Amino acid sequence: DAGDIFIEASERIDISGGLTIPGLPTSTIASTVDRPPEGLRLLLGLSGIAKGKAGNVTLSTQALNLSESSTVTVANLIDGDAGQLQIEADTLSLRDAGIEAFNTTGSGGNIDLDIRELILLREGARVNAIALGSGNGGNLTMNAPVIVGLENSDITAGAIQGDGGTINITTQGLFGLRAQTQPTDGSDITASSEFGLDGTVTI
């Protein structure tokens, strides 16, 4: 099983960094379970199906800022449950970055954002609780007085073979984001599934 991460910063947490290897973020806070590379499995004599639970990630600060492809992630890419991701802050700003929970077969990872002032998503930012295989999408809870999504930024609790997850948003003002049945080129809120049942979005 992967371990838990808890970070409490009195003023701010800033995460930024581009991609040096395609698909892998250089700057991330993550608790994940992944399949070992084939070469490593052969070297260590590993066989069978890997199993394990992803850990939980909890961040508490005044301002959390992510940019340049950085991420905060819980993920289980083998056989097991994804972890829980909880963020408490005054402001949350994502610019070309993501807060994400992934799973393939087990229970989807859940994301809980308790933001006291503002959530700002820009330049393709994403908040995702997604099942990549046969699992169900995770549950996503967002609580903030003001939520802004611009420039094709998305909030998603989707799935492929399993069912879509649940999105619950509590806010006084939602700007730039629209609930959709399927992803579009705009800034969307979706809980769809390609082959399973769609999830639910409550605002």
Side-chain angles (χ1 to χ4, degrees), residues 7-16 27-29 57-67 70-73 85-95 97-100 111-121 126-127:
I7 298 176
E8 184 174 5
S10 61
E11 295 182 6
R12 62 194 302 125
I13 299 172
D14 294 327
I15 314 170
S16 65
S27 297
T28 186
I29 296 173
V57 173
T58 303
L59 306 182
S60 178
T61 189
Q62 290 187 29
L64 174 59
N65 303 309
L66 282 73
S67 62
S70 61
T71 64
V72 176
T73 304
L85 198 161
Q86 182 171 1
I87 295 173
E88 296 181 359
D90 290 342
T91 61
L92 171 62
S93 175
L94 279 69
R95 180 173 60 82
I99 293 175
E100 299 174 312
I111 298 175
D112 186 356
L113 304 181
D114 189 5
I115 309 301
R116 292 176 285 273
E117 296 177 7
L118 169 68
I119 296 176
L120 176 60
L121 312 177
R126 59 207 177 274
V127 180

Side-chain angles (χ1 to χ4, degrees), residues 174-180 187-190 203:
L174 182 66
F175 302 95
L177 291 150
R178 295 183 61 185
Q180 305 280 6
S187 295
D188 305 322
I189 303 171
T190 57
I203 301 172

Side-chain angles (χ1 to χ4, degrees), residues 3-186:
D4 298 331
I5 297 174
F6 177 78
I7 298 176
E8 184 174 5
S10 61
E11 295 182 6
R12 62 194 302 125
I13 299 172
D14 294 327
I15 314 170
S16 65
L19 299 176
T20 56
I21 301 175
L24 295 179
T26 56
S27 297
T28 186
I29 296 173
S31 180
T32 63
V33 179
D34 203 349
R35 187 179 306 277
E38 185 64 27
L40 182 61
R41 295 180 64 188
L42 293 174
L43 179 65
L44 300 178
L46 301 176
S47 62
I49 300 173
K51 295 183 179 181
K53 295 180 180 179
N56 303 321
V57 173
T58 303
L59 306 182
S60 178
T61 189
Q62 290 187 29
L64 174 59
N65 303 309
L66 282 73
S67 62
E68 300 176 354
S69 301
S70 61
T71 64
V72 176
T73 304
V74 292
N76 196 322
L77 302 179
I78 53 172
D79 186 7
D81 295 341
Q84 312 295 311
L85 198 161
Q86 182 171 1
I87 295 173
E88 296 181 359
D90 290 342
T91 61
L92 171 62
S93 175
L94 279 69
R95 180 173 60 82
D96 181 29
I99 293 175
E100 299 174 312
F102 296 108
N103 76 300
T104 54
T105 60
S107 299
N110 298 326
I111 298 175
D112 186 356
L113 304 181
D114 189 5
I115 309 301
R116 292 176 285 273
E117 296 177 7
L118 169 68
I119 296 176
L120 176 60
L121 312 177
R122 296 194 59 193
E123 298 180 21
R126 59 207 177 274
V127 180
N128 291 336
I130 293 178
L132 300 175
S134 61
N136 296 326
N139 299 320
L140 201 161
T141 301
M142 301 176 68
N143 184 3
V146 179
I147 301 173
V148 180
L150 305 171
E151 301 151 350
N152 195 20
S153 296
D154 296 323
I155 298 170
T156 307
I160 298 176
Q161 299 176 34
D163 297 337
T166 298
I167 297 176
N168 287 303
I169 296 176
T170 302
T171 185
Q172 297 174 19
L174 182 66
F175 302 95
L177 291 150
R178 295 183 61 185
Q180 305 280 6
T181 56
Q182 296 291 331
T184 72
D185 292 335

